[in-house]
Amino acid sequence: MILVTGGAGFIGANFVLDWLAQCDEPVLNLDKLTYAGNVHNLDSLSQDTRHTFVQGDIADRTLLDRLLAQHRPRAVVNFAAESHVDRSIHGPEDFIQTNVVGTFRLLEAVRQHWSGLPAMEKEAFRFLHVSTDEVYGTLEPEAPAFTETHNYEPNSPYSASKAASDHLVRAWHHTYGLPVLTTNCSNNYGPYHFPEKLIPLVIVNALAGKPLPIYGDGRQIRDWLYVRDHCSAIRRVLEAGRLGETYNVGGWNESANIDIVRLICSLLDELRPRADGQSYAAQITHVTDRPGHDRRYAIDARKLERELGWKPAETFETGIRKTVQWYLEHPEWVAQVQSGAYRDWVQKQYQSA
Ligand code: NAD
Ligand code: TYD
């Protein structure tokens, strides 16, 4: 089996669902269920014996030791993190605790587990760390996209904490020989995306008749990747990545925020027109910019394509249409996440885990 951490969050849940749709290898899913974790993302697995969910913290060494000894996973995929830049600006402490201390504790527990494995299992073992393009900092408008050799120049508490975790993972390979792989991915979008991030926020606010907040001039550029393409890249790196290497994952889709928001508005105008006949674009509002806002991210994903033959399956046009449709078809998911009702359920269901 594999151990997935943070598998109740946006990307982790998509990864677990995709994994079990494609193979029969069981998943042990360890997630703290912070505000961003939602066990309802995994409802379709409630009767599936291949999926075991444990509520817990990657910084809890005792729990980690117990789970690793009991389940003996052949690989760990580490998604668990605090992931929202704006939250990291308001309160960086949790980011240091989970992204830095948590990754450190997980690495130490995994190192102990891995050291004690029989030779063949030891050889086959993998620790895959899921990271972000934000560790590379910001790009000038005409600069080439980030390659894996780009300097680390993180600018936010979030990206600095992820950069620190990447360095720990690298060091555990060079110092202890731990068989690690790191992926640095661009901005994801798709189903189960918590509606505090740009794309789901815009869809949800548009439908609720609320303002669509654009930070500053809205000309900041992100490189968007459909979440299931990120999941397929991780599966491929886990399967065939070279030990100790990092792989950039991206969708070759650079867009300014304002253009993304306008596109979502036009899709909603087509799929769920406003009652008054106006465009959802009328709800766009410019608000104060984020402090230290990175101007541009862009990923050069050629190494992953060249070495492992991976390419995204979705274009932005197909992926964003699927995403908007998913939100239109899942109003109950949005309502649950917004009301916090799912957290009450979690408390009831997992208080003894
Ligand atoms: P998310 O915030 O939606 O989910 C994070 C999950 O981790 C949640 O389920 C949360 O409960 C869990 N978690 C948080 N702290 C934990 C802890 N201490 N122990 C165990 N579980 C904990 O984040 P996401 O968008 O799904 O991102 C997943 C990973 O991918 C993160 O490492 C993030 O840095 C990385 N990443 C995200 C993006 C993106 O666009 N969302 C892009 C590149 C990389
Ligand atoms: P976000 O989804 O928070 O991802 P990240 O900051 O990790 O790239 O934001 C994506 C972009 O959208 C980023 O440039 C900030 C901007 N943004 C807004 O303009 N308005 C918003 O309300 C939010 C949440 C983000």
Side-chain angles (χ1 to χ4, degrees):
M1 68 148 52
I2 62 166
L3 167 59
V4 171
T5 71
F10 164 46
I11 306 173
N14 276 287
F15 180 82
V16 170
L17 292 168
D18 274 11
W19 180 272
L20 292 173
Q22 309 224 356
C23 75
D24 275 333
E25 186 172 14
V27 173
L28 174 63
N29 186 347
L30 173 65
D31 194 296
K32 188 176 174 182
L33 296 178
T34 66
Y35 77 93
N38 182 354
V39 279
H40 285 299
N41 295 350
L42 304 160
D43 273 353
S44 61
L45 301 175
S46 61
Q47 303 301 317
D48 195 325
T49 52
R50 298 171 304 164
H51 179 243
T52 305
F53 184 81
V54 176
Q55 183 179 9
D57 193 329
I58 58 163
D60 181 346
R61 180 65 197 268
T62 312
L63 173 65
L64 290 173
D65 288 346
R66 177 165 67 74
L67 291 175
L68 290 167
Q70 195 180 333
H71 296 276
R72 299 177 64 82
R74 64 138 183 124
V76 175
V77 184
N78 183 31
F79 291 97
E82 289 293 336
S83 71
H84 191 188
V85 174
D86 294 321
R87 283 184 187 252
S88 83
I89 294 168
H90 290 293
E93 181 92 31
D94 286 347
F95 288 73
I96 303 303
Q97 190 54 38
T98 284
N99 301 358
V100 186
V101 178
T103 304
F104 159 72
R105 296 253 167 81
L106 182 61
L107 281 167
E108 277 294 80
V110 169
R111 179 166 78 89
Q112 183 182 306
H113 166 71
W114 169 78
S115 311
L117 291 174
M120 271 172 64
E121 283 179 49
K122 196 171 174 188
E123 174 91 1
F125 191 86
R126 296 288 181 272
F127 181 96
L128 191 150
H129 179 62
V130 180
S131 192
T132 165
D133 60 358
E134 302 193 25
V135 297
Y136 299 125
T138 189
L139 283 171
E140 292 300 322
E142 300 307 325
F146 300 127
T147 64
E148 289 79 0
T149 55
H150 198 281
N151 284 347
Y152 269 41
E153 291 169 347
N155 291 320
S156 72
Y158 164 65
S159 55
S161 67
K162 289 297 289 188
S165 69
D166 294 7
H167 290 323
L168 292 174
V169 171
R170 177 191 161 89
W172 260 240
H173 176 67
H174 282 269
T175 305
Y176 304 113
L178 193 70
V180 307
L181 300 155
T182 299
T183 54
N184 292 85
C185 189
S186 60
N187 284 56
N188 285 214
Y189 66 98
Y192 305 110
H193 205 179
F194 197 75
E196 67 179 10
K197 303 275 176 86
L198 180 70
I199 287 182
L201 180 89
V202 165
I203 300 171
V204 166
N205 277 14
L207 294 171
K210 293 184 181 163
L212 312 180
I214 304 275
Y215 297 162
D217 63 3
R219 301 308 313 169
Q220 305 86 357
I221 289 171
R222 298 293 183 262
D223 184 354
W224 295 94
L225 179 69
Y226 190 61
V227 63
R228 298 184 71 164
D229 280 327
H230 187 189
C231 296
S232 75
I234 292 170
R235 286 197 302 275
R236 185 69 191 128
V237 172
L238 186 60
E239 184 176 60
R242 285 188 292 133
L243 293 187
E245 290 291 314
T246 66
Y247 293 90
N248 281 354
V249 188
W252 302 104
N253 182 73
E254 284 186 60
S255 284
N257 295 336
I258 184 73
D259 297 332
I260 295 286
V261 174
R262 289 212 182 99
L263 180 59
I264 295 170
C265 289
S266 65
L267 276 169
L268 286 171
D269 289 340
E270 174 198 327
L271 298 168
R272 181 71 59 84
R274 266 175 44 160
D276 63 3
Q278 276 207 58
S279 169
Y280 287 98
Q283 290 164 232
I284 292 175
T285 317
H286 287 263
V287 299
T288 310
D289 207 352
R290 169 190 284 171
H293 199 168
D294 284 338
R295 203 65 191 164
R296 175 177 168 235
Y297 303 140
I299 275 281
D300 182 334
R302 281 179 296 182
K303 177 179 174 185
L304 186 50
E305 183 176 347
R306 197 175 54 243
E307 291 191 10
L308 304 181
W310 176 88
K311 266 199 235 180
E314 301 290 343
T315 63
F316 189 70
E317 287 65 34
T318 58
I320 194 69
R321 184 173 281 272
K322 281 186 184 176
T323 304
V324 170
Q325 265 160 347
W326 188 87
Y327 279 86
L328 288 173
E329 285 160 14
H330 293 83
E332 73 298 336
W333 183 89
V334 173
Q336 230 167 27
V337 165
Q338 288 183 321
S339 73
Y342 75 91
R343 266 198 293 277
D344 300 341
W345 184 87
V346 162
Q347 226 180 349
K348 237 187 283 162
Q349 179 71 2
Y350 294 106
Q351 58 195 359
S352 60

